[in-house]
Amino acid sequence: MTLQDKVLERLQGLDDAGLRRRLRVVDTPCGPQARVDGRELLAFCSNDYLGLAAHPQVVQALQAGAALYGAGSGASHMISGHSRAHALLEARLSALYEPFIDQARALYFSTGYMANLALLTGLAQADDTVEFFSERLNHASLIDGMRLSRAPVQVYPHGDVAHLEQLLKESTASTRVIVTDSVFSMDGNLAPLRELDALAQAYDACLVIDDAHGFGVLGQQGLGALEHLDLRSPRIVYMGTLGKAAGVSGAFVVAHAHITEWLVQRARPYIYTTAASPALAHALMTSLDIVTGDEGRQRRETLATHVRRLRELLYLKHWSTPPTDTAIQPVIIGANTTAMQISSFLLTQGLWVPAIRPPTVPPDTARLRVTVSAAHDIDDVSRLARALNRAEREFHDYESY
Ligand SMILES: *Cc1c(COP(=O)(O)O)cnc(C)c1O
């Protein structure tokens, strides 16, 4: 049997289990109105929470960045790829986080996935014995970063601070690192960051916070979970992504300057990769102006209004919508095939809402991952709510025959 044949068999296994995923081709810029494989759809699936991905000023800044710095960086940061655009962006981010992290220094990465790999493998080399304490629902990039580091990992149940404390108590490692998402990407709820920070203090641990879905969305200025909770701590290592609410691409880590410098020296996923296009960093300066300014605040208010409205309009009896007021509003359905059927039904209604299945979420919690954006208008939100209410009714009436 050739490798192709073996793989084909496995692919058929995915089909049989209802787990085969399909790529769809989008012809339009990221936004609520999408043309997908030739069809016009109203999309509730992107992480462009503030609607900045196609914002004219951000697009213009990207063009200006390319004119100023060219298309590509040409090398890794350590060789010759570290452009003035990267340095300016990092200085800006460092200043923004100084109120939350002493001697804050930020480092820009081409993706959040790479940032997490770099951060966790870097931290694991900071001491002779490092142990990670990882929240059960952490994002795959955090899990992969810890695995790649080869340091031991203790997993604590979702939100279970007492369990985590027990694990910290038993640890004999000389450096303990708590690792958590701030806003869980498939549930939309917040980690108990204050309690985690208190534990980090009590047990002399470091706290890594992945704020991929909080940055831009939470806090007066959109600086994310730290600003939202007014959390200041020298123990925090913060990761924010710039391809979601910020609408562009990449991510940043911000930590005490000594820690950041250590990552520059030792984190292989930072060192052995070509620096992202400086034009992206240049565009991000404009995006940050918008995120942290009045327009960003207005966009966060619009987003919050949409989320409230959606929750008011939904009356679901069989499916659940966990309480959260972030932009991620999952509708938990249960069975994989049902979630797929509902997602297909919504498509027939012109609505694009992805079904998320295991292993991305735990077994029997397949769901629709609804994400709302400030770029939606209020009619978009009511159209979605009507379709979901109707989908549930029709599906369960049909089931009861
Ligand atoms: C999206 C995401 C990442 C990865 O960021 P990218 O820039 O998309 O690579 C990391 N952590 C979480 C929680 C995410 O949702």
Side-chain angles (χ1 to χ4, degrees):
M1 221 187 187
T2 65
L3 179 58
Q4 287 92 316
D5 290 335
K6 288 179 197 163
V7 164
L8 183 61
E9 231 171 57
R10 296 206 159 180
L11 288 171
Q12 279 157 355
L14 291 180
D15 281 332
D16 296 344
L19 291 176
R20 180 77 165 260
R21 301 171 180 209
R22 288 187 200 284
L23 289 168
R24 296 176 198 277
V25 179
V26 182
D27 287 306
T28 39
C30 178
Q33 315 299 331
R35 195 166 56 253
V36 188
D37 293 327
R39 295 172 62 191
E40 301 294 331
L41 297 175
L42 175 59
F44 286 92
C45 29
S46 88
N47 303 309
D48 180 26
Y49 303 129
L50 299 182
L52 298 185
H55 191 292
Q57 274 168 263
V58 179
V59 173
Q60 205 173 41
L62 183 60
Q63 290 165 339
L68 270 171
Y69 299 101
S73 70
S76 68
H77 286 279
M78 291 303 233
I79 304 299
S80 61
H82 192 64
S83 139
R84 174 62 59 196
H86 298 125
L88 289 170
L89 175 65
E90 287 173 350
R92 178 78 188 280
L93 288 164
S94 305
L96 286 171
Y97 284 88
E98 186 60 40
F100 308 104
I101 297 169
D102 277 345
Q103 294 189 51
R105 179 180 161 199
L107 201 59
Y108 176 58
F109 291 85
S110 39
T111 72
Y113 191 99
M114 295 291 276
N116 279 339
L117 294 190
L119 165 59
L120 296 163
T121 56
L123 289 180
Q125 297 171 74
D127 198 354
D128 292 337
T129 65
V130 173
E131 190 169 23
F132 288 116
F133 298 84
S134 175
E135 148 79 50
R136 172 79 183 76
L137 294 189
N138 273 342
H139 189 261
S141 57
L142 291 171
I143 296 168
D144 292 356
M146 289 182 270
R147 283 184 184 157
L148 188 61
S149 81
R150 291 186 271 184
V153 182
Q154 306 285 342
V155 177
Y156 62 93
H158 181 52
D160 193 340
V161 179
H163 191 108
L164 170 61
E165 179 162 21
Q166 195 54 42
L167 293 173
L168 287 166
K169 226 178 246 174
E170 288 162 8
S171 171
T172 55
S174 50
T175 294
R176 292 172 276 274
V177 183
I178 303 169
V179 180
T180 188
D181 278 19
S182 57
V183 177
F184 292 93
S185 47
M186 297 299 144
D187 295 74
N189 61 325
L190 253 90
L193 293 177
R194 273 189 214 289
E195 288 90 332
L196 295 179
D197 181 51
L199 276 187
Q201 251 183 66
Y203 292 89
D204 191 24
C206 158
L207 176 60
V208 170
I209 298 175
D210 176 339
D211 203 22
H213 302 281
F215 179 79
V217 174
L218 299 174
Q220 270 295 314
Q221 283 188 272
L223 296 178
L226 302 186
E227 189 189 16
H228 178 63
L229 297 171
D230 196 22
L231 214 53
R232 294 154 213 273
S233 165
R235 306 173 170 282
I236 290 174
V237 176
Y238 178 89
M239 198 287 288
T241 58
L242 299 167
K244 290 174 180 163
V248 185
S249 185
F252 63 99
V253 169
V254 55
H256 187 286
H258 294 347
I259 293 180
T260 306
E261 178 60 16
W262 178 249
L263 299 182
V264 172
Q265 298 303 321
R266 277 290 174 269
R268 294 164 65 89
Y270 180 75
I271 299 167
Y272 297 104
T273 191
T274 300
S277 167
L280 294 170
H282 186 78
L284 278 163
M285 293 292 271
T286 296
S287 163
L288 282 181
D289 286 342
I290 298 173
V291 167
T292 58
D294 286 344
E295 185 178 343
R297 195 170 34 70
Q298 282 157 17
R299 284 175 179 260
R300 280 184 286 282
E301 277 166 19
T302 304
L303 172 61
T305 306
H306 289 352
V307 165
R308 263 197 312 277
R309 191 73 191 129
L310 176 65
R311 297 190 67 89
E312 282 164 10
L313 290 174
L314 283 180
Y315 48 96
L316 301 173
K317 297 189 205 74
H318 303 273
W319 305 338
S320 65
T321 49
T324 164
D325 44 17
T326 66
I328 303 170
Q329 293 290 322
V331 177
I332 300 182
I333 289 178
N336 294 345
T337 47
T338 316
M340 291 306 292
Q341 283 166 3
I342 303 303
S343 180
S344 306
F345 168 79
L346 292 173
L347 270 183
T348 67
Q349 308 295 300
L351 292 163
W352 190 12
V353 183
I356 309 286
R357 292 158 283 172
T360 309
V361 294
D364 304 317
T365 69
R367 64 197 66 187
L368 301 173
R369 181 177 184 267
V370 172
T371 52
V372 183
S373 166
H376 285 117
D377 66 33
I378 203 73
D379 293 337
D380 296 338
V381 172
S382 20
R383 198 174 139 201
L384 173 68
R386 275 198 308 275
L388 281 169
N389 290 334
R390 185 175 149 210
E392 192 204 48
R393 221 165 39 238
E394 291 194 356
F395 185 81
H396 282 277
D397 287 353
Y398 177 76
E399 284 281 281
S400 58
Y401 280 125

